[in-house]
Amino acid sequence: MHEPPAVLFARQPIYDRRRELAGCELLFRPAPGATSAPFDGDFATRQVLLSAFTETSLRDVCENTPAFINFGAATLTETLPFPPGEMVIEVLETVPASAPVIAALNQHRLNGYRIALDDYRLEDSGHPLLCFADIVKLDYPEYSTDGLARVIAALRRDYPRVRLLAEKVETHEDFERCLAAGCDLFQGYFLARPAPVHGQHLPSDRLSVLHLLAELNRPDIGFNELSAIIRRDPFISVRLLKMAGSAYFSRSREITSVQMAVTLLGKRRILSLANLIALTRLDDKPHALRQLALARGELCQALADQLLDNGGPGFTVGLFSCLDAFFDRPLDQVLDELPLHDSLRRAILHHEGPLGQILATAKSLECGKLDALDWTGLTRLGLTPNALSRAQRRAFEAVGAQR
């Protein structure tokens, strides 16, 4: 039996003022070969609503936060298959204020759905659909500092109940600027980038975590030594046993010791979990950064496991590619402190080799750059669109089990 054509999607997190996850925008493209028709937004929306989540729960994908889904004029007038608590209707900027659109939006609001206006670029409150909006997504790069202040002032004055979301926020400086301007929600890649830090020395808490990562990742570390390092650290031991005992790993008996966990799950998996837990000690970092790093690591591992020659440490490559954001230092400087094999370092820094290709794929999905996926390179590795879809489902399941 042939698998149905895959629908590819990317998930872009939306954060609140505390940098906690408040929702996720889901972006869709038909996989190569799925259709010969030109791409259009209504087709993508129909495909995802009909088939993309038959095997994966919308709540799992969005970590129990609302899914922001793009709607064009045609799909706005159709029946919605998800309840109001699970999704936000995101009205594309190309949608006209026609009579059918106005009637549809009015009905969706009566049914309890929240509505967001996408890619808002006006400098006033003159958009004809604003009266239906619960959220306005400001296209941040389109505004000067003064222009951003003007549009926020106008929207606050005329539509005080509307929440303002700054999208395409790429750096911490962008985030701080939008935060100071009065935005409520933020979408972009800023959380995965290091914050600017002045001074040359790592604080003691970061230094101790870096030393622990170096100890855990020595190339010659064996089962017994790995178990001993974990056992003498109660913080890691307790959390690792909880994660290893989760339903995701489908163990038939309870895991009661670190030695048992290492034996049952294997050195590579335990090492991946221990690395992740060690980074949670950096408690000045938002929980959402840990979730982003976990999701990237799980997707890299799920893709790596499908390679014919065994994918190796995909989770470590994904997780360690986020170390600059955890330590607020250039990534090459952080990796210099760790005893990584040169092939892993090149994969993380330069996207070289199979693991590098996989990491580049995971990062493109995070950024919503579905059109940038290198299908030629992925095909050479034996990774088809359906393989990518399977890996995404597995990664979301793993992240959900470890929340």
Side-chain angles (χ1 to χ4, degrees), residues 21-24 26 57-69 80-89 108-115 134-135 163:
L21 190 67
C24 297
L26 300 181
S57 159
L58 196 65
R59 286 191 173 276
D60 286 343
V61 169
C62 297
E63 299 182 40
N64 292 319
T65 65
F68 285 60
I69 298 179
L80 305 181
F82 298 120
E86 291 191 8
M87 65 175 285
V88 173
I89 297 170
H108 292 322
R109 286 206 67 192
L110 288 173
N111 291 338
Y113 287 96
R114 282 172 291 170
I115 294 167
D134 300 282
I135 297 166
R163 301 184 80 190

Side-chain angles (χ1 to χ4, degrees), residues 99-385:
V101 164
I102 289 171
L105 291 177
N106 191 51
Q107 187 60 53
H108 292 322
R109 286 206 67 192
L110 288 173
N111 291 338
Y113 287 96
R114 282 172 291 170
I115 294 167
L117 296 186
D118 190 28
D119 281 346
Y120 197 92
R121 295 169 184 167
L122 303 179
E123 291 202 6
D124 58 28
S125 57
H127 196 290
L129 297 179
L130 266 171
C131 58
F132 297 104
D134 300 282
I135 297 166
V136 174
K137 299 186 70 175
L138 301 172
D139 193 351
Y140 167 69
E142 294 295 316
Y143 290 100
S144 65
T145 301
D146 290 343
L148 185 65
R150 277 195 300 273
V151 70
I152 289 175
L155 291 169
R156 292 288 186 216
R157 181 189 66 237
D158 297 335
Y159 298 92
R161 70 177 185 81
V162 166
R163 301 184 80 190
L164 303 179
L165 186 158
E167 57 181 345
K168 303 173 188 171
V169 178
E170 296 301 302
T171 68
H172 278 269
E173 290 91 340
D174 291 341
F175 170 70
E176 295 294 341
R177 194 173 296 121
C178 294
L179 186 69
C183 293
D184 306 297
L185 300 167
F186 311 85
Q187 180 178 352
Y189 202 51
F190 69 96
L191 203 65
R193 301 197 188 278
V197 173
H198 303 289
Q200 307 216 347
H201 299 292
L202 278 176
S204 58
D205 61 336
R206 281 169 168 69
L207 200 57
S208 64
V209 171
L210 196 55
H211 287 161
L212 177 58
L213 292 176
E215 191 175 13
L216 285 169
N217 290 280
R218 287 202 337 265
D220 59 345
I221 194 168
F223 276 86
N224 292 336
E225 194 173 4
L226 176 60
S227 300
I229 292 170
I230 294 170
R231 274 200 308 271
R232 66 174 181 254
D233 191 315
F235 180 88
I236 292 182
S237 295
V238 171
R239 284 160 181 78
L240 188 143
L241 288 174
K242 181 179 177 182
M243 293 170 77
S246 72
Y248 174 69
F249 293 105
S250 304
R251 296 296 160 192
S252 58
R253 51 193 172 128
E254 184 181 2
I255 296 177
T256 56
S257 70
V258 171
Q259 189 72 36
M260 184 178 180
V262 174
T263 302
L264 288 176
L265 296 187
K267 175 183 165 184
R268 190 183 74 192
R269 190 66 199 182
I270 289 296
L271 181 57
S272 299
L273 294 177
N275 281 326
L276 177 66
I277 295 166
L279 290 172
T280 66
R281 280 191 164 150
L282 303 177
D283 55 10
D284 63 323
K285 292 297 182 181
H287 176 72
L289 176 59
R290 173 188 173 274
Q291 290 299 101
L292 184 151
L294 173 60
R296 187 184 294 181
E298 290 291 356
L299 180 55
C300 287
Q301 190 62 59
L303 286 168
D305 284 344
Q306 297 190 58
L307 300 183
L308 295 177
D309 59 350
N310 193 349
F315 186 92
T316 299
V317 166
L319 182 68
F320 281 16
S321 69
C322 297
L323 290 183
D324 53 346
F326 280 101
F327 289 96
D328 295 320
R329 290 291 185 277
L331 187 54
D332 59 340
Q333 291 182 17
V334 181
L335 296 182
D336 282 343
E337 303 297 322
L338 301 175
L340 291 180
H341 190 278
D342 190 52
S343 63
L344 297 187
R345 181 184 171 87
R346 291 199 307 273
I348 295 169
L349 292 177
H350 307 298
H351 299 164
E352 293 181 12
L355 287 174
Q357 177 87 56
I358 283 170
L359 175 60
T361 300
K363 292 169 75 172
S364 290
L365 290 171
E366 278 175 25
C367 297
K369 296 179 179 176
L370 289 161
D371 294 332
L373 293 175
D374 177 11
W375 287 111
T376 301
L378 290 171
T379 301
R380 273 199 295 270
L381 294 178
L383 294 173
T384 64

